[in-house]
Amino acid sequence: MQRDKKMKKDLSTEQKIKDAARKVFMTKGFSGCTTREIAKSVGINVALLNYYFRSKGKLFELILEAALSDFIEAMVEVFSMDLSLEDKTRMLIDKEFEFLRKHPELPLFIHAGLNQESDNDFDQSNFLGRLHQTGIFEQCEKAQEEGKMRKVNMINVTLLFMSNCHFPIMSKKLICGIYQMNESQHEERLNEHQEIVKEMLINYLFPNTFKNA
Amino acid sequence: MQRDKKMKKDLSTEQKIKDAARKVFMTKGFSGCTTREIAKSVGINVALLNYYFRSKGKLFELILEAALSDFIEAMVEVFSMDLSLEDKTRMLIDKEFEFLRKHPELPLFIHAGLNQESDNDFDQSNFLGRLHQTGIFEQCEKAQEEGKMRKVNMINVTLLFMSNCHFPIMSKKLICGIYQMNESQHEERLNEHQEIVKEMLINYLFPNTFKNA
DNA sequence: ACTTATTTTAAACAATTGTTTAAAAAGCAT
DNA sequence: ATGCTTTTTAAACAATTGTTTAAAATAAGT
């Protein structure tokens, strides 16, 4: 009678395992760490890990799904606001940079994690549906018909946002390595980049509002 | 007397190992594969792998370094051409997309690989120096002083290019997962994105040459 | 042909892996 | 306290890991 039957306990152990697993998986990846490492960082026995979650793989899938959900939810939050598309653009980029500064390992973890998994059916959380519910697609479609927004496929719009927000964060080591920068120098570049991306994307997606550089 | 003493042999075994290691490391990452897996894919014994290269780690570093060099070299090639900055921009993006379509695992491999390593001193190949030799920095500086190019730090310029070329490739699984796309649909988005990125970056970096959308 | 150096292999090494088993400890109702 | 369930542990499992050793096969030099 594993869990699932009665769940009255304090939940703290299960949650502590998840937290530790998240931290370890994030920084080292699935095959880059061991179950014992995770257990040790919680202060529990290895067997307890398989007691709560059935296997290392199952635990990983859980963490990965949660990570995906986290960052889709950040988009949903902004899209649900009552703002113009230009303001949503600015807001999304700012929120994304802010969020990713706190969780810089997240993008790389997600992409590497998805590549590790064999099946790509992460439709369980219905991310597309959650995005649709915000009405962002209709808002864009309307703006595009009115000539206020450049007619670009929404998938490409998504790519533009994600490319310019996620990549600068995940490429930290590469960029610092090439340009021989330290942490604070990179931070400075990142801050400037945040403004660059905002201006560039708004200029490109809403060309009528800005006619000058 | 390992290697290094006399190297007259045909080299094919050593190269075959490198090729196989590159392929396996690329798709599965350092800790995602085993030395036996690599050896098997070459058709040799495991010990031979440690005979040519001293350890799994050493072999990995070699592959990673070569991968980094490969993609810096692609940039160097374009920067060395006798073209205007606008043309170099277009050329670089096209070459980058073309190159990455052939090696889609490369960016993720590099970023994940750099995170796995403890020391980030990959200055051995002197990437920055190679970039400087092309004269691209002077060309940009001159254009910026003449008001033909937006005054943006070269590190940010690098980030803009890499973000918009690398990320669309490495995010394939994520984007396909969210938007429920198959291979060919994704390919279509990618082709369109290539044009989008070209126009967007040129509009942003060289605002004088294009005043309209 | 003989000697020497290089390349390749089979086998073993000790350490670590994810997972399971069986028993102990802790909680909880009665 | 007594039973029962849930939580936690220690120990063991078989499989796999990277690496090494010692011997065999091949090539090269004379």
Side-chain angles (χ1 to χ4, degrees), chain A residues 75 77-93 134-136 138-140 142-143 146 148-149 161 202 205-206 209-210:
Chain A
M75 298 173 73
E77 192 191 344
V78 173
F79 290 159
S80 303
M81 292 174 170
D82 187 21
L83 295 172
S84 71
L85 280 179
E86 288 92 338
D87 283 344
K88 279 187 182 176
T89 297
R90 272 182 277 263
M91 178 77 83
L92 180 62
I93 293 169
T134 65
I136 187 71
E138 286 87 344
Q139 189 177 8
C140 287
K142 182 162 169 269
E146 291 172 350
K148 293 178 183 168
M149 179 181 177
F161 276 92
I202 286 183
L205 291 174
F206 314 105
T209 56
F210 290 73

Side-chain angles (χ1 to χ4, degrees), chain A residues 33-36 47 50 55-56:
Chain A
C33 71
T34 71
T35 54
R36 280 172 177 81
N50 284 12
S55 69
K56 185 191 182 186

Side-chain angles (χ1 to χ4, degrees), chain B residues 111-213:
Chain B
H111 291 287
L114 286 179
N115 268 31
Q116 217 121 33
E117 285 200 350
S118 44
D119 58 340
N120 297 332
D121 299 342
F122 55 88
D123 195 28
Q124 296 129 305
S125 305
N126 189 25
F127 295 128
L128 189 52
R130 297 245 280 286
L131 289 177
H132 260 112
Q133 285 169 6
T134 66
I136 186 72
F137 295 121
E138 287 87 344
Q139 190 176 8
C140 286
E141 198 179 354
K142 182 163 168 268
Q144 285 178 336
E145 280 171 3
E146 290 173 350
K148 292 178 182 168
M149 180 181 176
R150 189 187 291 259
K151 283 191 174 113
V152 178
N153 189 296
M154 283 307 287
I155 296 173
N156 293 107
V157 175
T158 307
L159 267 180
L160 283 176
F161 276 92
M162 285 180 48
S163 296
N164 287 287
C165 293
H166 291 202
F167 192 90
I169 302 281
M170 56 200 290
S171 64
K172 179 180 171 185
K173 294 213 172 184
L174 178 62
I175 295 294
C176 282
I178 293 178
Y179 282 104
Q180 310 276 33
M181 288 190 297
N182 58 34
E183 296 257 340
S184 71
Q185 288 173 307
H186 184 262
E187 221 169 309
E188 199 183 328
R189 281 307 110 221
L190 218 55
N191 287 334
E192 194 167 321
H193 207 72
Q194 184 171 347
E195 302 305 316
I196 290 174
V197 167
K198 260 187 288 187
E199 184 174 354
M200 180 181 71
L201 285 183
I202 287 184
N203 276 356
Y204 181 75
L205 291 175
F206 314 105
N208 292 355
T209 57
F210 289 72
K211 253 310 196 212
N212 57 351

Side-chain angles (χ1 to χ4, degrees), chain A residues 108-197:
Chain A
L108 202 56
F109 167 72
I110 288 178
H111 291 287
L114 286 177
N115 268 32
Q116 217 121 33
E117 285 201 350
S118 46
D119 59 339
N120 297 332
D121 299 343
F122 55 86
D123 196 27
Q124 297 129 305
S125 304
N126 188 27
F127 296 127
L128 190 52
R130 298 244 280 286
L131 289 177
H132 261 113
Q133 285 168 5
T134 65
I136 187 71
F137 295 121
E138 286 87 344
Q139 189 177 8
C140 287
E141 199 179 353
K142 182 162 169 269
Q144 285 178 336
E145 280 171 3
E146 291 172 350
K148 293 178 183 168
M149 179 181 177
R150 191 187 289 260
K151 282 190 174 117
V152 177
N153 188 296
M154 284 307 287
I155 296 173
N156 293 105
V157 174
T158 307
L159 267 180
L160 284 176
F161 276 92
M162 285 180 48
S163 296
N164 288 286
C165 293
H166 291 203
F167 191 91
I169 302 280
M170 58 200 288
S171 64
K172 179 180 171 185
K173 294 213 172 183
L174 179 62
I175 296 293
C176 282
I178 293 178
Y179 283 104
Q180 310 276 33
M181 289 191 296
N182 58 34
E183 296 257 341
S184 72
Q185 288 172 308
H186 184 262
E187 219 169 309
E188 198 183 328
R189 282 305 111 221
L190 218 56
N191 287 335
E192 194 166 322
H193 207 72
Q194 184 170 348
E195 301 305 316
I196 291 174
V197 167

